[in-house]
Amino acid sequence: MPVRDDGGAGRDDASTGTGPRLGAAEIGGELGARATLVHFSSAFCRPCAATRRVLADVAAMVEGVTHVEIDAEARLELVRALDISATPTTLVLDAEGRVVRRAAGQPRRADVIAALGAAL
């Protein structure tokens, strides 16, 4: 999962793990005890279905990790606040809901597992 280090307001700083903090209300689902994989998708996004499967599989494999999918079109305010510019986009949140990694595009399972290391 390639890491994007944007810096700046409303964007995460993946190198330091000091990204914005999101709670259950913002993502529309409970945070995982150890980490949360947040997946922004859209109706006509072909790679989003494959991304959904990969993230759900990883969440099922790793104890304390949950997967939450957000319809980007229905949550435009959140999309803008987090500077999500493409679907699928995946955010890795730590147990406190802080964004520690983000990536656009269809992730590989091994990359998702490696990215979880920043949150666990």
Side-chain angles (χ1 to χ4, degrees):
M1 174 176 270
V3 175
R4 188 172 105 187
D5 180 2
D6 290 325
R11 299 179 182 187
D12 64 304
D13 182 352
S15 63
T16 62
T18 58
R21 192 169 294 198
L22 303 171
E26 288 89 5
I27 66 170
E30 291 300 316
L31 293 173
R34 297 176 65 201
T36 305
L37 301 169
V38 178
H39 165 211
F40 286 86
S41 65
S42 56
F44 298 104
C45 168
R46 292 199 83 144
C48 289
T51 298
R52 178 182 312 112
R53 286 189 300 273
V54 168
L55 297 179
D57 288 349
V58 171
M61 275 186 341
V62 182
E63 186 177 339
V65 175
T66 61
H67 168 231
V68 175
E69 184 171 356
I70 296 174
D71 179 352
E73 296 170 74
R75 302 290 308 277
L76 286 176
E77 185 175 312
L78 182 60
V79 165
R80 289 181 184 120
L82 294 172
D83 194 29
I84 305 295
S85 60
T87 58
T89 291
T90 303
L91 306 179
V92 178
L93 311 182
D94 65 12
E96 297 173 0
R98 188 174 43 247
V99 177
V100 295
R101 292 286 187 267
R102 73 183 285 155
Q106 183 178 334
R108 296 179 310 155
R109 183 182 322 262
D111 293 334
V112 174
I113 293 168
L116 276 173
L120 300 178

